[in-house]
Structures are given as structure tokens and as C-alpha cells.
């Protein structure tokens, strides 16, 4: 992997940003935006995905970055659950639901692969200790 100098270069961060934009559009254009509690949760979850990738990149070492990627992956699962709540309440249509779930599934897979890569690389200059990835 080529040297990465900024979190904005990371594919997983770009994907997270796309999901954030999709959520924002959904909140503007569907009845979901009027369900303030769920809309707020979704905005926070999608932002957490993106922000944790950026914050983790800014921290020292692969192990700490890995932890923040894990938080992002968890926030992605949380957002998926919120999409299920949204369709169950008939606040979004099936097409939007399927698109968003697919985006989240793809990001979860990419985050998992990137986390695996980090365990074996020196991307952030500080490798995992043997006990960190058993």
C-alpha cells in the first residue's frame, strides 16, 4: 500500500462520507426527516462512522487506529439497524432501504479487510504487539 498522508485519501473514509451524504439526503427528502428522534440517531451514527475513521487515522499507531475502525464498524451496524426501523415504520421506501443497506454492508466488509491489513502492516509506524491481535 502506498503511503497515506491524510485520512481523506482512505477509501473507507470516502465510502463513509458517501453514506453520510445519503443519510442527509434521505432526511431532507423523506418523511424520516420529520421523525426527529430517529433522524437524529441516524445523523449521529453516520457521522460517527466517518469521524472515527478520521480520528483513528490521526492517532498514533496501528493498534489505536484499528480500535477506531472497530468503532466505525460498530456505528455502521447501528446505522443499518436504524434503516430497518425506518422501513418498518414506512418512513423510507424499499429502494432507498436496499441501496443504503448495500452501502453499509460494503463498508463493513472494507473496514474488516482494512482492520485485518492493519494488524500486519506498519502503516502508522507502530506495529501491534503479538497480544494485540490474537
Amino acid at each position: 500500500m502506498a503511503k497515506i498522508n491524510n485520512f481523506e485519501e482512505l477509501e473507507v473514509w470516502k465510502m463513509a462520507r458517501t453514506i453520510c451524504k445519503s443519510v442527509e439526503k434521505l432526511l431532507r427528502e423523506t418523511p424520516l426527516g420529520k421523525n426527529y428522534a430517529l433522524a437524529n440517531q441516524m445523523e449521529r451514527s453516520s457521522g460517527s462512522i466517518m469521524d472515527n475513521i478520521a480520528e483513528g487515522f490521526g492517532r498514533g499507531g496501528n493498534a489505536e487506529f484499528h480500535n477506531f475502525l472497530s468503532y466505525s464498524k460498530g456505528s455502521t451496524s447501528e446505522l443499518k439497524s436504524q434503516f430497518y426501523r425506518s422501513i418498518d415504520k414506512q418512513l423510507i421506501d424499499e429502494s432507498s432501504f436496499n441501496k443504503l443497506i448495500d452501502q453499509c454492508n460494503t463498508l463493513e466488509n472494507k473496514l474488516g479487510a482494512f482492520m485485518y491489513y492493519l494488524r500486519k502492516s506498519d502503516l502508522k509506524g507502530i506495529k501491534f504487539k503479538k497480544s494485540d491481535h490474537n
Side-chain angles (χ1 to χ4, degrees):
M1 177 179 262
K3 180 154 174 58
I4 297 172
N5 297 309
N6 301 300
F7 67 82
E8 297 93 339
E9 298 173 48
L10 295 169
E11 180 181 355
V12 290
W13 183 84
K14 291 175 186 177
M15 293 174 74
R17 185 176 181 202
T18 298
I19 289 171
C20 274
K21 289 177 180 180
S22 295
V23 166
E24 289 168 7
K25 182 176 188 222
L26 193 68
L27 297 178
R28 274 192 318 272
E29 298 177 358
T30 69
L32 177 59
K34 300 257 191 260
N35 184 319
Y36 300 114
L38 187 53
N40 185 31
Q41 286 182 316
M42 292 176 87
E43 189 171 12
R44 291 177 60 181
S45 296
S46 63
S48 178
I49 298 166
M50 194 171 143
D51 297 345
N52 277 310
I53 295 167
E55 185 174 354
F57 184 84
R59 300 278 180 136
N62 285 359
E64 195 164 7
F65 189 17
H66 184 281
N67 288 339
F68 277 86
L69 291 173
S70 179
Y71 302 148
S72 287
K73 194 171 180 192
S75 292
T76 305
S77 294
E78 180 180 19
L79 184 61
K80 281 174 40 178
S81 180
Q82 293 159 359
F83 290 143
Y84 279 97
R85 290 171 53 207
S86 297
I87 196 160
D88 290 347
K89 292 175 183 272
Q90 299 177 342
L91 298 171
I92 60 175
D93 62 43
E94 192 170 338
S95 174
S96 297
F97 171 80
N98 289 332
K99 177 185 172 196
L100 294 161
I101 290 293
D102 287 347
Q103 286 178 334
C104 287
N105 286 338
T106 300
L107 180 57
E108 280 180 326
N109 290 336
K110 295 280 185 181
L111 284 166
F114 192 39
M115 291 164 66
Y116 179 80
Y117 168 78
L118 275 180
R119 287 186 222 129
K120 301 189 179 314
S121 79
D122 64 351
L123 179 69
K124 295 294 292 171
I126 302 171
K127 289 187 179 184
F128 275 76
K129 297 180 289 233
K130 189 143 184 94
S131 63
D132 285 341
H133 61 85
N134 288 335

